[in-house]
Amino acid sequence: MSDQHDHDHAQCGHHHGPKHIYIFSPSSAVRDKAAFKRGIARLKALGHRVEVDSAALAGHMRFAGDDETRLAAIARAAASGADIALISRGGYGLTRLLPRLPYKALAKAVEKGTEFVGLSDFTAFQNALLAKTGAITWSGPALGADLGTEEEPDDIMLACLDDLFTGHGEGAGWELPRPRKGSAAAALPGVAPFDLKKAQLWGGNLAVLASLVGTPYLPNPKGGVLFLEDVNEHPYRIERLLTQLLHAGVLDRQKAILLGQFTDYRLTPHDKGFKFDTVVQWLRTQTKVPVLTGLPFGHVATKVLLPVGASVSLSVDERDALLFWGHLR
């Protein structure tokens, strides 16, 4: 899924040595400290220099420290000079900080080469930073859930992370799911082939993104490529959130909508056949914008890294989809 090429490292112009990785906690408190330690150990085993923020394991109610503590941690991450600023975990807590984020310092850190990486609640940080400054960040793994697993982390996720470390990541491809035989979707035409250029990629967690509607922290790209994922949300809640974006005019302004992985929900008998596929088919009747599914991103082990705010091209041919952004640095 990651677009990788064999090449001469001496000629490519990218730095292949150890990276300085800064670990910080801008949202919920770290509960699984064993996973936190395993994630740090794995990064160190790969040869990287890991710096852990002084408040990374702080706690205040459900948060990784009170608001002041977490704002200070974000400021330290921006000032760290690290190659990668990686969140320990998501959860909740960033939306309440958005009016006070140090946007100029964060944008300056990105300009100097710090790549901010995370997902879930980090969606609020990423999209607010994009809306306010245009700075590009990366939707990708969190330390504990993705790198601190008891089993070996997913190979594709690690390969994509290494692409970011070495500056070689250029895009991501995936195969669109085939509709199940006998389903309503199987009787409908598939996504028509298309090839679009120079569209801004943005998005992240659906619930968090929907919470930004009507605020100055929601980007407004004209003709963007919007990617979405979520966890622990029943399909009817997913539809309700998508409806909010639809009625706010967000979806119809896009050139494409990419649905990643929507996981860890439980259907009930009274759903009577209402499921995630139902939501997808309904959405396709509500907008003329192509809706693609199966993007390997979300609260799952196998995930690609996606540059939030980057200019991308997107091509679809039969069931093959390719998202391409090229070298960003």
Side-chain angles (χ1 to χ4, degrees):
M1 294 175 187
S2 176
D3 188 16
Q4 300 177 41
H5 306 280
D6 293 330
H7 66 286
D8 185 347
H9 288 179
Q11 300 296 323
C12 76
H14 295 117
H15 176 54
H16 288 262
K19 296 298 178 182
H20 174 194
I21 302 174
Y22 194 90
I23 306 298
F24 69 117
S25 301
S27 300
S28 285
V30 173
R31 291 198 296 266
D32 191 343
K33 293 182 174 58
F36 181 90
K37 293 176 181 177
R38 283 193 297 266
I40 292 172
R42 281 206 173 98
L43 289 171
K44 288 182 176 179
L46 291 171
H48 302 299
R49 178 165 72 90
V50 179
E51 182 180 359
V52 179
D53 184 76
S54 58
L57 294 176
H60 173 73
M61 293 190 288
R62 65 179 297 116
F63 306 109
D66 61 18
D67 291 357
E68 299 298 336
T69 297
R70 289 179 294 116
L71 283 165
I74 291 168
R76 287 191 294 269
S80 67
D83 299 297
I84 307 291
L86 178 66
I87 66 168
S88 63
R89 61 159 300 184
Y92 169 69
L94 271 164
T95 48
R96 60 193 281 165
L97 301 183
L98 296 184
R100 301 175 61 195
L101 289 184
Y103 290 104
K104 289 183 180 179
L106 289 165
K108 185 175 181 181
V110 171
E111 183 181 351
K112 288 185 175 182
T114 297
E115 310 282 14
F116 287 86
V117 180
L119 79 167
S120 193
D121 191 56
F122 203 55
T123 297
F125 174 102
Q126 295 177 302
N127 285 274
L129 185 60
L130 177 60
K132 291 291 189 181
T133 73
I136 295 172
T137 57
W138 290 84
S139 283
L143 177 74
D146 295 299
L147 291 164
T149 51
E150 292 187 25
E151 65 280 2
E152 285 300 309
D154 182 79
D155 288 343
I156 291 173
M157 183 272 293
L158 285 177
C160 292
L161 192 60
D162 186 65
D163 279 349
L164 177 61
F165 289 165
T166 59
H168 292 138
E170 296 184 348
W174 74 100
E175 192 171 61
L176 302 178
R178 190 188 304 276
R180 289 188 294 275
K181 289 184 179 180
S183 68
L188 298 175
V191 177
F194 68 90
D195 192 0
L196 64 87
K197 305 289 185 184
K198 294 184 178 180
Q200 189 174 51
L201 181 68
W202 69 295
N205 181 265
L206 172 58
V208 175
L209 199 76
S211 76
L212 301 181
V213 170
T215 76
Y217 310 112
L218 183 74
N220 186 27
K222 295 180 180 179
V225 173
L226 173 63
F227 70 94
L228 300 166
E229 61 80 29
D230 219 319
V231 64
N232 296 326
E233 296 288 1
H234 187 285
Y236 83 81
R237 294 194 186 106
I238 295 168
E239 182 176 299
R240 185 166 59 198
L241 292 163
L242 288 169
T243 300
Q244 183 176 4
L245 296 179
L246 178 71
H247 293 170
V250 173
L251 300 186
D252 285 338
R253 288 197 295 269
Q254 308 311 311
K255 288 184 178 177
I257 300 164
L258 312 183
L259 299 182
Q261 306 304 301
F262 290 79
T263 52
D264 293 353
Y265 57 81
R266 180 178 296 179
L267 298 176
T268 65
H270 62 262
D271 287 316
K272 296 186 183 298
F274 183 93
K275 52 191 175 181
F276 181 71
D277 286 348
T278 312
V279 176
V280 175
Q281 295 310 318
W282 171 83
L283 183 61
R284 286 172 172 160
T285 68
Q286 302 300 304
T287 180
K288 295 180 180 179
V289 178
V291 178
L292 310 186
T293 59
L295 176 71
F297 183 78
H299 287 70
V300 290
T302 302
K303 62 169 64 70
V304 295
L305 273 75
L306 299 169
V308 177
S311 177
V312 301
S313 63
L314 174 65
S315 60
V316 174
D317 185 11
E318 295 185 348
R319 292 177 59 213
D320 293 326
L322 177 62
L323 191 63
F324 182 79
W325 50 83
H327 292 304
L328 299 181
R329 292 194 185 275

